[in-house]
Amino acid sequence: LLNEEIEIGEIETRINAQVRSHMEKEQRDYFLRQKIKSIHDQLGDNISEEEEAEEYRQKLEKSGIPKEYKAKLRKEIARLETMPPMMAESAIIRNYLDWVFDIPWTEESKDNLDLEKTKQMLDEDHYGLEKIKERILEYLSVRILSPESKGPILCFVGPPGVGKTSLAQSIARALGRNFARISLGGVHDEAEIRGHRRTYIGAMPGRFIEAMQQATTINPLLLLDEIDKVGNDFRGDPASALLEALDPEQNKNFRDHFIELPFDLSEVLFVTTANNLETLSRPLLDRMDVIEISGYTPDEKLEIGKKYLLPKQREICGLNASNFNITPTALRLIVDSYTRESGVRNLERKISTLCRKAARELVETNKEKISISQKNLSNYLGKPIYHYDKNDHIHKIGIATGLAWTESGGDTLFIEVNVMPGSGKLELTGNLG
């Protein structure tokens, strides 16, 4: 009986000691938390859990989030309120709520539905490209007659340097829409498109939700740049994830794994760019309205150089029309003999080189004006790099004139035939198309 009583006494003592230590720990934690709180109060930078939760509740009421999703967010706010601030999960919930409230749920920009003004703005920004300008004006006309119509998904296909990306920015400016760019070159993880689940450390929303937050409206112009460079590996196929976002029938309820709420992408005007359609998946291509942009002709390059590139580079280098000029013949020579490309990037580089050299010369020699002509062009850019063969119009036996076409431009070919002794076999060499 005594042994039993001693044993019960020992257990009671042990339990009391545990309870006391637990209470002491809780009291210590409470004391330290109150101390931290009073320090923050003295500094004037403290927000209590209750105040923070109330702030989120006010944001929720003011936001345009659909009613059916508000209950889920109220639960998240309630969890945050009851959770100790030092817990790792409270930071995850806070990050999640910040993202949800930063996305534009109802904010909308008004389209500029003035056809004449839009046409003028497109002409100001880009020379030529009539087919694309026509397509944009058609889209605007449809918007005027049917405001509820869904935006098309335009795909600009063409060689580098023809102005696909800048054209998308120009369209956004002309329509009066906010602009955001999503670079898809080298993306090979499906989570980049749909986001990561919140259970992962460092989880983030996908590119579409990020772009919508950046655009701040529900109806921006989203540019999906280099859509043909999307890869795929063991982490999933991003091209398949793009199908949902780019399908007008499905993108009203686009689901991002991080946000976990359906988001409406149906008001977005999507523009995609690609250099080559062969690498693009067929189902994705089927959803897009493809507009091909071929390379510029020498005459178009001359006009672009004169109207857009030269004034732009002059401004960058601190020059103006009164102290620096390039004659049209010199500009034509740069196009023909110093650049051979489908776009105008190299042409802009050559004009930039001339501007920099002229700026240095003006500073060193105190000249009033420098004019680049056909005669002195080689002093600045060196000898011509490219030479075009010209048909001398003399008919020679065994020589035929051919034409070659590539995405980078065309050229004439001179094919010569010689008869030599052989074995009687026909041998074909070279890359015969």
Side-chain angles (χ1 to χ4, degrees):
L1 188 68
L2 281 171
N3 281 339
E4 232 176 77
E5 287 298 325
I6 289 164
E7 206 172 315
I8 289 165
E10 281 177 355
I11 291 167
E12 273 185 8
T13 309
R14 206 180 309 137
I15 289 168
N16 288 339
Q18 282 176 353
V19 169
R20 197 180 301 112
S21 69
H22 184 66
M23 280 171 68
E24 281 171 3
K25 185 185 180 298
E26 280 198 345
Q27 282 176 334
R28 181 174 161 275
D29 288 355
Y30 176 75
F31 172 73
L32 288 172
R33 275 206 194 94
Q34 288 302 315
K35 204 167 182 180
I36 290 166
K37 187 175 182 295
S38 61
I39 290 165
H40 280 302
D41 283 341
Q42 289 293 318
L43 291 169
D45 62 355
N46 181 51
I47 297 174
S48 69
E49 290 81 56
E50 293 81 11
E51 285 172 335
E52 188 179 32
E54 190 52 41
E55 201 178 298
Y56 279 129
R57 283 194 186 96
Q58 284 173 9
K59 278 186 182 178
L60 182 61
E61 293 311 312
K62 287 176 188 172
S63 72
I65 297 169
K67 281 182 185 175
E68 57 268 31
Y69 311 141
K70 283 186 176 179
K72 175 181 164 52
L73 293 170
R74 283 194 193 99
K75 275 185 190 173
E76 293 288 345
I77 294 167
R79 279 179 67 206
L80 179 68
E81 194 174 15
T82 55
M83 206 174 275
M86 299 305 173
M87 265 186 81
E89 202 177 340
S90 68
I92 294 168
I93 295 172
R94 228 177 256 117
N95 183 36
Y96 170 72
L97 291 170
D98 286 339
W99 268 105
V100 169
F101 293 131
D102 278 353
I103 304 166
W105 290 90
T106 50
E107 293 82 5
E108 196 170 349
S109 62
K110 203 166 181 237
D111 278 357
N112 165 35
L113 297 175
D114 185 341
L115 284 184
E116 201 54 49
K117 193 178 174 187
T118 305
K119 188 175 186 302
Q120 187 186 334
M121 285 169 94
L122 289 170
D123 287 338
E124 273 173 26
D125 290 350
H126 288 84
Y127 179 81
L129 305 175
E130 297 306 325
K131 200 193 293 182
I132 293 170
K133 290 174 184 175
E134 201 176 299
R135 182 68 186 82
I136 296 305
L137 294 174
E138 285 168 10
Y139 163 68
L140 258 186
S141 307
V142 171
R143 285 283 293 178
I144 292 166
L145 296 174
S146 170
E148 299 304 311
S149 63
K150 301 297 174 202
I153 293 150
L154 303 176
C155 180
F156 299 154
V157 182
V162 293
K164 298 186 293 294
T165 305
S166 64
L167 189 62
Q169 289 172 317
S170 173
I171 291 166
R173 189 173 82 90
L175 294 178
R177 290 196 175 200
N178 291 0
F179 175 81
R181 177 175 170 268
I182 300 171
S183 179
L184 294 174
V187 170
H188 49 87
D189 184 356
E190 190 197 338
E192 292 271 354
I193 307 297
R194 287 184 186 277
H196 304 84
R197 298 211 175 273
R198 276 196 288 157
T199 48
Y200 293 106
I201 294 168
M204 290 289 284
R207 299 277 181 102
F208 280 91
I209 295 296
E210 277 185 20
M212 292 304 287
Q213 186 211 34
Q214 185 190 332
T216 69
T217 55
I218 202 166
N219 63 335
L221 184 146
L222 283 193
L223 171 67
L224 307 183
D225 220 357
E226 310 287 0
I227 200 167
D228 56 326
K229 310 287 190 302
V230 171
N232 67 329
D233 60 13
F234 62 92
R235 285 169 287 194
D237 183 5
S240 300
L242 285 170
L243 293 177
E244 185 192 355
L246 296 182
D247 191 333
E249 301 303 317
Q250 296 176 41
N251 64 10
K252 192 170 177 62
N253 294 311
F254 175 74
R255 272 190 179 272
D256 185 276
H257 290 156
F258 181 83
I259 300 297
E260 295 174 348
L261 301 172
F263 188 77
D264 186 2
L265 291 175
S266 61
E267 296 292 321
V268 177
L269 174 59
F270 288 104
V271 174
T272 67
T273 70
N275 297 128
N276 187 3
L277 289 180
E278 284 170 23
T279 56
L280 217 57
S281 74
R282 295 298 106 187
L284 194 55
L285 189 60
D286 189 48
R287 283 160 171 78
M288 297 188 290
D289 186 354
V290 177
I291 299 171
E292 290 197 14
I293 308 173
S294 57
Y296 293 114
T297 64
D299 290 341
E300 284 174 332
K301 286 182 189 175
L302 188 64
E303 287 299 315
I304 290 165
K306 206 189 301 177
K307 288 183 181 174
Y308 303 94
L309 306 181
L310 181 56
K312 179 185 166 186
Q313 290 302 325
R314 266 196 200 127
E315 194 180 332
I316 289 168
C317 296
L319 303 168
N320 54 54
S322 61
N323 61 10
F324 178 70
N325 185 43
I326 303 175
T327 64
T329 49
L331 206 54
R332 186 62 191 243
L333 191 61
I334 296 169
V335 169
D336 289 343
S337 303
Y338 290 89
T339 64
R340 185 175 280 190
E341 54 173 348
S342 48
V344 288
R345 280 207 186 112
N346 271 333
L347 176 61
E348 187 170 9
R349 284 191 196 107
K350 296 295 178 191
I351 291 171
S352 173
T353 303
L354 289 173
C355 288
R356 289 196 308 273
K357 287 183 183 294
R360 182 184 168 186
E361 199 175 323
L362 284 169
V363 171
E364 285 180 348
T365 61
N366 293 323
K367 283 184 182 177
E368 286 186 9
K369 186 176 180 180
I370 291 174
S371 183
I372 308 288
S373 65
Q374 199 171 350
K375 287 179 183 175
N376 66 357
L377 181 64
S378 57
N379 298 342
Y380 295 91
L381 292 182
K383 290 183 178 178
I385 302 165
Y386 302 107
H387 300 275
Y388 283 89
D389 294 324
K390 288 186 180 167
N391 188 352
D392 53 10
H393 301 294
I394 299 167
H395 296 292
K396 292 180 180 173
I397 294 167
I399 292 181
T401 310
L403 286 174
W405 181 89
T406 67
E407 284 183 337
S408 305
D411 207 351
T412 47
L413 304 171
F414 297 100
I415 300 132
E416 185 176 352
V417 176
N418 277 325
V419 180
M420 293 180 284
S423 61
K425 290 178 187 172
L426 178 65
E427 284 186 28
L428 302 175
T429 61
N431 184 10
L432 301 173

